[in-house]
Amino acid sequence: MGWHVVIAGGGFGGLYAARRLERVLPRQSARLTLVTDVNFMLYTPLLPGAAAGTLEPRHVVVPLRDELKTTEIHLGHVTGADPAANELRVRSIDGREETLPYDQLIVALGSVSRVMPIPGLAEHGLGFKTISEAIALRNRALLNLEIAETIDDPDERAPYLTHVFVGAGYAGLEGVAELQDYVADVIERYPRSRLQGTRWILVEALDRVMQEIPPSLAEFATRELRGRGLDIRTGTRVDTVDADSITLSTGERIPCRLVCWTAGVKPAPVVRELGLPLDHAGRIEVDQTMRVDGHQNVWAVGDAAAVPDPATNGDTSCPPTAQHALRQGRLVAENVAAVLGNGQVKPFRYKTLGVFVDMGRHKAVATMLGVKLRGFPAWWAARTYHLLAIPGVGRRLRLIVDWTVGLFFGRASAELGQLGHPPSLKGYLETPQPSGEGEDAA
Ligand SMILES: Cc1cc2nc3c(=O)[nH]c(=O)nc-3n(C[C@H](O)[C@H](O)[C@H](O)COP(=O)(O)OP(=O)(O)OC[C@H]3O[C@@H](n4cnc5c(N)ncnc54)[C@H](O)[C@@H]3O)c2cc1C
């Protein structure tokens, strides 16, 4: 077989690049390998739904082997690269160090939470970027309700009923709204907590929520969430986090047992180990065609790349959104195919068409092609968009079933933190019997 095209990362950028390469590269002309540390793409816009128990966690991920037909999926952790030798370094899931030679490399390694050096934050805060974090958040809220029910003193109970989200972007706003909605749904089953009530606080360092949407929609979202009892503190920072409280820059100490940190992202740490040029934010420097500066056969897309944003004539980089990453993935595939077939590479031209912010309870805010929507129409438009956007007919049907069932029945309050963590068989080990005993039973 001819060329070897390697894609590092199987999220929005990587999956869509692989799908397009399968279509545009003539069969037998190239071998495609996708290296990823998980065998699915997480459809992050639906992550708040998974955290809130509206959607089954398995229904918000796209298994890569279902979507890719001819691409070899190589499960492993990218650990570095040597661009001069055209080699990618990978640690396999069983711990073997491997070297993958490539002719063309597409880096789509995404981002991780940007955790500020705030005392206690890393120890006591929860992130909201991965499926395990979404489930952990829901489990923590449920466990706190369970603990609250066992406490007699209302003052001692209060921290277990207080939830603080830090960062009012997509993840923070949708996360707090959906989790509040979920707790409101299940609290009937927790009599002491229901009588005392829960407390929800959203802390944002900037002067308004959701910088990604126009101020009028951000104001609507703020009004709507304040109407539900959410305490939104803009222009406020976090000073310290403890096991049982958070202290704000205003000096206020809030007793609480759930702190969720959603204040920004940074490129995946391994991006620093690839030997590629980086910008001030640590993203890989690329030109408008997404080719890495100074490297003819290396490309980068998505949250890990600083792709010049056509919306600002390249003055800034594209925002870290799925809608940019997947379109960059498709175009980079065509550019790689063009290079291999002596064709013309094209610049990235996409400008944001719309933004949805789902706030649960059948409400959302949205801008689409310059039209602003809010309330139920925005919520309906958001659901329809995601139904059409998530790959796979079966997956779409499962989402419809989840949402429909949720309309008629309450959500489950089982705390399944033990999923995937079975007890060790050592705990059940029989003590050896003196010979002769127990033989009848066998
Ligand atoms: C809660 C939440 C809600 C969001 N909602 C929206 C929304 O509504 N609309 C929108 O446009 N955007 C949204 N986003 C942003 C969007 O998810 C990202 O911009 C998008 O995922 C970026 O795509 P990517 O391909 O760059 O990275 P990702 O999709 O994160 O993919 C990166 C992949 O690389 C893998 N990887 C990382 N490091 C390694 C390694 N060392 N070795 C092997 N594999 C590795 C990761 O496991 C992952 O599979 C949301 C994000 C969050 C967290």
Side-chain angles (χ1 to χ4, degrees):
M1 192 161 296
W3 307 104
H4 188 199
V5 181
V6 173
I7 302 168
F12 279 93
L15 172 61
Y16 281 81
R19 284 202 334 175
R20 185 57 63 94
L21 278 167
E22 286 190 353
R23 277 184 33 210
V24 295
L25 279 183
R27 268 178 192 251
Q28 307 304 327
S29 72
R31 178 178 155 216
L32 291 179
T33 303
L34 188 148
V35 186
T36 172
D37 55 1
V38 287
N39 73 351
F40 57 80
M41 179 195 88
L42 173 62
Y43 192 89
T44 47
L46 297 180
L47 195 60
T54 330
L55 297 173
E56 261 297 308
R58 281 185 189 82
H59 300 168
V60 303
V61 300
V62 179
L64 296 172
R65 289 183 189 275
D66 287 5
E67 290 304 313
L68 297 172
K69 304 293 172 245
T70 55
T71 307
E72 290 170 30
I73 296 176
H74 194 111
L75 212 58
H77 196 81
V78 175
T79 53
D82 181 353
N86 294 337
E87 285 175 351
L88 187 71
R89 288 195 294 276
V90 178
R91 184 173 312 119
S92 70
I93 42 173
D94 57 343
R96 279 172 289 119
E97 301 295 337
E98 303 172 319
T99 302
L100 282 187
Y102 61 80
D103 296 298
Q104 299 284 328
L105 172 68
I106 300 173
V107 181
L109 289 163
S111 56
V112 295
S113 297
R114 186 163 50 95
V115 182
M116 307 306 283
I118 294 171
L121 173 62
E123 291 80 10
H124 305 296
L126 284 173
F128 188 37
K129 181 103 179 58
T130 63
I131 191 81
S132 56
E133 287 170 329
I135 306 308
L137 203 55
R138 176 172 175 272
N139 287 340
R140 175 76 65 88
L142 277 173
L143 267 186
N144 283 352
L145 283 173
E146 296 292 350
I147 295 169
E149 289 301 299
T150 64
I151 298 175
D152 294 330
D153 178 355
D155 289 338
E156 277 181 37
R157 195 185 301 132
Y160 290 94
L161 300 176
T162 305
H163 315 79
V164 181
F165 276 65
V166 187
Y170 273 122
L173 206 111
E174 293 191 335
V176 71
E178 291 267 16
L179 199 68
Q180 185 197 29
D181 197 20
Y182 172 63
V183 169
D185 212 12
V186 298
I187 204 158
E188 284 299 314
R189 300 162 215 171
Y190 297 87
R192 284 180 159 177
S193 306
R194 179 172 54 81
L195 272 180
Q196 184 158 346
T198 54
R199 198 173 164 205
W200 299 83
I201 299 153
L202 179 61
V203 179
E204 167 59 52
L206 298 175
D207 60 351
R208 76 165 168 98
V209 305
M210 288 296 304
Q211 301 291 320
E212 300 89 331
I213 58 175
S216 59
L217 286 180
E219 272 162 35
F220 173 80
T222 305
R223 266 201 315 279
E224 164 65 28
L225 293 173
R226 283 196 169 131
R228 293 182 197 176
L230 185 75
D231 183 354
I232 301 180
R233 313 278 186 95
T234 49
T236 308
R237 293 173 185 278
V238 174
D239 273 357
T240 56
V241 181
D242 293 304
D244 58 358
S245 72
I246 186 166
T247 306
L248 304 180
S249 53
T250 53
E252 185 182 358
R253 180 179 169 274
I254 303 171
C256 65
R257 287 283 179 169
L258 187 152
V259 173
C260 180
W261 178 261
T262 66
V265 294
K266 63 178 183 187
V270 67
V271 164
R272 287 197 302 265
E273 312 300 325
L274 301 180
L276 300 173
L278 306 178
D279 75 352
H280 65 281
R283 291 168 301 189
I284 301 167
E285 286 191 294
V286 296
D287 64 17
Q288 288 166 320
T289 67
M290 291 160 292
R291 202 192 303 245
V292 177
D293 294 350
H295 297 266
Q296 284 300 304
N297 61 343
V298 185
W299 313 74
V301 297
D303 289 5
V307 181
D309 188 356
T312 60
N313 291 323
D315 287 348
T316 57
S317 303
C318 289
T321 74
Q323 51 180 306
H324 285 84
L326 73 89
R327 286 173 176 85
Q328 289 165 4
R330 284 189 196 129
L331 182 64
V332 87
E334 282 168 18
N335 283 347
V336 166
V339 166
L340 295 179
N342 292 324
Q344 283 286 313
V345 293
K346 294 186 200 134
F348 184 66
R349 293 205 189 283
Y350 173 74
K351 295 181 188 167
T352 307
L353 293 178
V355 173
F356 300 102
V357 186
D358 194 334
M359 296 185 291
R361 295 194 201 172
H362 306 139
K363 295 234 171 91
V365 287
T367 54
M368 284 185 309
L369 301 166
V371 179
K372 293 181 202 160
L373 293 176
R374 53 197 206 186
F376 182 79
W379 176 84
W380 189 84
R383 296 250 154 140
T384 309
Y385 173 83
H386 291 310
L387 263 187
L388 297 175
I390 196 164
V393 177
R395 214 156 291 112
R396 290 175 192 152
L397 288 175
R398 287 190 178 101
L399 291 178
I400 292 174
V401 170
D402 283 356
W403 281 324
T404 312
V405 169
L407 285 176
F408 298 105
F409 301 97
R411 283 171 272 184
S413 57
E415 192 280 311
L416 294 180
Q418 52 179 277
L419 275 188
H421 305 285
S424 163
L425 283 182
K426 284 182 191 158
Y428 311 124
L429 202 59
E430 295 282 320
T431 38
Q433 302 290 318
S435 71
E437 276 185 41
E439 280 173 8
D440 290 348

